[in-house]
């Protein structure tokens, strides 16, 4: 629907007399009304305004489908520019809309008629679908951005997705279950007999705490065997190299003696002189293939892939990362700030002082804890 409020009454000459004329737009159709009486034309203005309010207000492009389309076009213009968004964020917004939001709201829904009550119904709908609290909040974040865009365009007057309007979503994210050091040892033993790729991948994941997408983007040029360090500076996904998720994910990780030995040996056998853990075709690694192989190694080594049979996903490389963090923090009593740096998290996520000092980095980049971690894995039975 495309409506426009009446213009101010204009006095014009018509057939040797003076009349008042107003122009307006209703349901996309240009209209006009006129009268010789000023009182009558002002009454007509009020009547038209009421009609427009009943018809969704003064809006442009108010169909839900149109708003979605223009919102995504707008978001796409900010991909990979300074102070913009990453392609990953755009793809998340597109996926939330395609899988969840557009499923609930009809294409020809007038966006101005969506109120907090309908948003609450949508929240209940997502809960009935079995979506976790984390996913529901992420979907609402996308919808919130879309309504902010609609407000900026003048299509709606308020944001029904605002926390002050809608119900609060309860329920925390499910904790990721990590591997025990004994389970990591079993997986390493199974991979050593079968694949030098996965043997080195498991060791690297266990001894660095790197995320899966960071491992896919890891290149041989990022590893300094002489200075014994790994520089994390990019990720890779579906054939595209991308920057790290945040600036804090760009970090330096010490290369302990065990990992140095494993990666040096793997470099001689690797089918790529670019990527450390390539696919069969020599491109960056494929997380889907890795996930299938991890499931296989769990099976042959007697390690549970799904701790809870009802879980949708099993334990992948993220469980190695979680094990690294848990071991450093709980078993080795590493200071929290040090562990945050090693995991690529901000120093203080709830204050303005996020950045690490040189002393913080020196402590986090010291190799002693990594050497101890390697010994603990090797000795676990």
């Amino acid at each position: 629907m495309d409506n426009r409020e009446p213009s101010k009454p204009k006095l014009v000459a018509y057939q040797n007399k003076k009349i008042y004329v107003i122009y307006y737009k209703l349901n996309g159709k240009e209209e006009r009304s006129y009268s010789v009486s000023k009182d009558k034309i002002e009454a007509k203005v009020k009547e038209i305004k009421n009609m427009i309010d009943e018809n969704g207000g003064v809006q442009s492009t108010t169909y839900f489908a149109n708003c979605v389309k223009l919102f995504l076009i707008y978001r796409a213009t900010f991909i990979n520019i300074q102070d913009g968004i990453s392609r990953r964020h755009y793809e998340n917004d597109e996926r939330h809309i395609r899988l969840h939001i557009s499923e609930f709201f009809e294409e020809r829904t007038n966006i101005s008629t969506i109120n907090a009550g309908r948003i609450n119904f949508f929240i209940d709908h997502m809960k009935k679908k079995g979506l976790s609290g984390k996913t529901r909040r992420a979907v609402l974040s996308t919808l919130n951005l879309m309504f902010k865009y609609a407000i900026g365009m003048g299509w709606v007057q308020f944001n029904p997705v605002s926390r002050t309007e809608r119900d609060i979503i309860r329920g925390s994210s499910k904790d990721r279950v990590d591997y025990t050091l004994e389970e990591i040892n079993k997986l390493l033993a199974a991979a050593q007999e079968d694949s030098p790729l996965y043997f080195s991948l498991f060791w690297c994941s266990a001894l660095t705490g790197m995320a899966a997408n960071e491992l896919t983007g890891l290149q041989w040029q990022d590893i300094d065997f002489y200075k014994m360090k790994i520089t994390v500076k990019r990720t890779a996904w579906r054939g595209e190299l991308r920057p790290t998720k945040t600036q804090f994910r760009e970090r330096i990780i010490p290369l302990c003696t065990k990992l140095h030995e494993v990666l040096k040996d793997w470099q001689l056998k690797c089918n790529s002189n670019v990527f450390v853990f390539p696919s069969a075709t020599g491109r960056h690694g494929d997380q889907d293939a890795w996930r299938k192989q991890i499931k296989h190694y769990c099976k042959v080594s007697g390690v549970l892939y799904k701790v809870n049979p009802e879980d949708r996903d099993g334990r992948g490389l993220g469980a190695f990362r979680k094990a690294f963090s848990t071991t450093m923090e709980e078993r080795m009593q590493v200071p929290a700030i040090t562990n945050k740096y090693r995991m690529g998290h901000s120093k203080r996520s709830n204050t303005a002082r996020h950045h690490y000092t040189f002393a913080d980095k020196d402590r986090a980049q010291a190799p002693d804890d990594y050497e101890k971690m390697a010994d603990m894995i090797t000795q676990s039975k």
Side-chain angles (χ1 to χ4, degrees):
M1 296 179 183
D2 194 355
N3 305 324
R4 186 179 66 248
E5 284 191 345
S7 61
K8 291 182 179 180
K10 184 178 181 180
L11 188 62
V12 298
Y14 179 72
Q15 294 183 353
N16 298 323
K17 60 181 178 180
K18 299 288 186 178
I19 63 171
Y20 290 94
V21 180
I22 57 173
Y23 300 91
Y24 56 96
K25 196 173 186 178
L26 186 61
N27 291 339
K29 185 178 180 181
E30 294 287 350
E31 303 278 3
R32 69 177 179 177
S33 294
Y34 50 87
S35 175
V36 295
S37 170
K38 185 175 182 181
D39 291 336
K40 288 184 178 181
I41 202 68
E42 288 179 347
K44 185 66 174 179
V45 168
K46 292 181 180 179
E47 178 186 347
I48 294 169
K49 285 185 176 180
N50 289 334
M51 291 172 59
I52 290 176
D53 288 339
E54 292 174 358
N55 195 40
V58 180
Q59 310 296 329
S60 299
T61 323
T62 55
Y63 283 147
F64 186 83
N66 289 338
C67 186
V68 165
K69 180 180 178 180
L70 294 175
F71 167 69
L72 289 176
I73 292 174
Y74 172 75
R75 289 285 279 173
T77 63
F78 286 91
I79 296 176
N80 294 336
I81 66 172
Q82 187 174 0
D83 298 326
I85 62 173
S86 67
R87 182 170 295 277
R88 181 187 296 109
H89 287 136
Y90 173 83
E91 291 174 350
N92 287 341
D93 289 336
E94 188 277 332
R95 186 178 66 255
H96 293 157
I97 291 172
R98 174 169 44 84
L99 297 180
H100 307 296
I101 297 174
S102 293
E103 175 195 53
F104 183 82
F105 297 100
E106 296 181 359
E107 289 186 358
R108 297 180 69 83
T109 298
N110 187 332
I111 191 172
S112 66
T113 65
I114 299 176
N115 54 26
R118 296 189 70 180
I119 298 299
N120 290 336
F121 286 137
F122 176 54
I123 293 172
D124 293 339
H125 170 75
M126 290 192 291
K127 189 173 183 179
K128 291 176 183 177
K129 286 177 62 177
L131 301 183
S132 67
K134 179 180 179 181
T135 301
R136 281 178 277 151
R137 281 188 287 270
V139 172
L140 280 187
S141 177
T142 296
L143 191 57
N144 181 52
L145 289 172
M146 193 180 81
F147 268 95
K148 286 183 177 180
Y149 171 73
I151 289 174
M153 296 298 291
W155 300 337
V156 295
Q157 304 303 316
F158 76 101
N159 185 354
V161 192
S162 169
R163 288 173 62 89
T164 59
E165 299 288 337
R166 62 170 172 83
D167 291 341
I168 302 300
I169 296 178
R170 306 296 179 185
S172 59
S173 305
K174 293 182 179 179
D175 290 334
R176 178 176 287 166
V177 181
D178 56 341
Y179 295 119
T180 64
L181 298 185
E182 293 77 12
E183 289 175 329
I184 291 176
N185 203 353
K186 290 180 180 179
L187 291 171
L188 286 168
Q192 185 175 20
E193 298 175 359
D194 182 63
S195 169
L197 165 62
Y198 286 97
F199 179 69
S200 57
L201 175 64
F202 292 170
W203 265 120
C204 191
S205 183
L207 291 179
T208 64
M210 292 173 64
N213 59 358
E214 294 170 346
L215 290 166
T216 59
L218 185 64
Q219 298 182 3
W220 288 114
Q221 65 178 352
D222 303 327
I223 302 177
D224 191 328
F225 287 106
Y226 177 74
K227 294 184 178 180
M228 302 284 284
K229 67 179 183 180
I230 298 174
T231 303
V232 181
K233 60 176 67 174
R234 78 182 68 78
T235 63
W237 176 248
R238 294 183 178 176
E240 181 181 358
L241 296 181
R242 304 176 179 180
T244 55
K245 185 176 181 180
T246 67
Q247 60 176 320
F248 302 105
R249 289 294 183 96
E250 294 186 14
R251 59 200 188 278
I252 295 176
I253 299 174
L255 188 62
C256 68
T257 305
K258 179 62 181 179
L259 189 55
H260 180 280
E261 173 190 327
V262 169
L263 291 179
K264 263 294 189 181
D265 181 65
W266 167 237
Q267 189 177 32
L268 298 174
K269 305 171 184 176
C270 182
N271 65 324
S272 172
N273 59 1
V274 177
F275 293 104
V276 179
F277 304 112
S279 65
T281 60
R283 298 168 65 85
H284 71 72
D286 182 353
Q287 289 189 45
D288 291 333
W290 291 358
R291 196 175 296 110
K292 292 177 182 178
Q293 285 300 114
I294 291 173
K295 185 176 182 180
H296 164 73
Y297 287 122
C298 282
K299 183 177 180 180
V300 299
S301 62
V303 174
L304 288 177
Y305 180 65
K306 291 186 178 181
V307 177
N308 184 348
E310 296 182 358
D311 288 344
R312 186 185 65 177
D313 301 316
R315 295 186 290 177
L317 283 178
F320 285 99
R321 175 174 164 83
K322 175 70 173 176
F324 173 87
S325 176
T326 302
T327 304
M328 286 284 180
E329 185 175 355
E330 297 181 3
R331 298 182 64 171
M332 298 171 61
Q333 299 296 302
V334 171
I337 289 179
T338 300
N339 202 36
K340 285 182 178 180
Y341 174 86
R342 290 171 174 172
M343 298 297 291
H345 298 154
S346 65
K347 183 177 179 180
R348 295 172 183 169
S349 57
N350 58 344
T351 71
R353 295 185 59 196
H354 293 283
H355 298 277
Y356 293 93
T357 64
F358 288 112
D360 294 334
K361 293 181 180 180
D362 288 342
R363 172 68 179 88
Q365 293 169 11
D368 296 349
D369 294 332
Y370 293 83
E371 298 286 357
K372 186 177 180 180
M373 178 91 171
D375 291 339
M376 292 173 67
I377 293 174
T378 304
Q379 295 169 10
S380 299
K381 301 295 182 182

